[in-house]
Amino acid sequence: MAQHRGASVPLVLVVESDVQTREMYAEWLNYSGFRVAEATKADEAFEKAHTLRPSVITTGIGLKDGGDGCALCDRLKHDAGTKEIPVLIVTAWALGGHVERAKKAGCDSVLLKPCPPATLLQEIKRLIKHS
């Protein structure tokens, strides 16, 4: 796996409670030339967003701590220090208004699972280019 440590290399914060999914996305993004930070909980992700200043944040909707990716996105978008960071929600929760709720929370993009790593990579590049 390639390691990229330079500050000019975009940093992606991957927030995902499923270990296998989080590790797969992190490895793929690192291999694709990004620096990657990981979080499993909403509060941890919010703290890392402030300290690390990622280029983009990806999150699921349901998080292990009972947290919610939409609530995390809303919190990030209403905070002066993080409101400009693009947020991408990657979720299997396509029913029950979850996608609409994510957009209302201010997320910049939504991808539905199963989401191949190549699709995630393409969307992250698009968000970084337009931010």
Side-chain angles (χ1 to χ4, degrees):
M1 178 179 357
Q3 293 295 322
H4 305 280
R5 302 201 190 285
S8 64
V9 175
L11 173 66
V12 179
L13 175 57
V14 177
V15 185
E16 173 62 59
S17 57
D18 179 73
V19 175
Q20 291 176 328
T21 302
R22 187 180 66 253
E23 289 178 353
M24 174 186 61
Y25 287 160
E27 285 184 32
W28 179 258
L29 291 168
N30 189 274
Y31 175 79
S32 298
F34 291 94
R35 294 179 298 135
V36 179
E38 299 176 36
T40 60
K41 301 175 182 178
D43 287 340
E44 174 190 16
F46 187 76
E47 185 177 308
K48 285 187 176 185
H50 269 277
T51 59
L52 300 175
R53 304 290 302 150
S55 302
V56 66
I57 298 168
T58 70
T59 183
I61 289 181
L63 302 174
K64 272 192 179 173
D65 62 348
D68 177 287
C70 292
L72 171 62
C73 181
D74 185 65
R75 186 175 174 196
L76 290 164
K77 294 299 184 176
H78 284 92
D79 185 278
T82 57
K83 67 182 180 182
E84 299 300 324
I85 301 171
V87 177
L88 167 61
I89 291 183
V90 184
T91 185
W93 298 11
L95 302 175
H98 292 292
V99 172
E100 292 80 15
R101 201 170 128 243
K103 291 186 182 211
K104 187 176 180 182
C107 81
D108 297 278
S109 184
V110 176
L111 293 176
L112 298 177
K113 291 179 183 176
C115 178
T119 302
L120 178 70
L121 176 65
Q122 180 180 13
E123 188 61 9
I124 287 171
K125 287 180 178 180
R126 187 189 72 78
L127 288 171
I128 290 172
K129 182 178 178 182
H130 289 91
S131 65

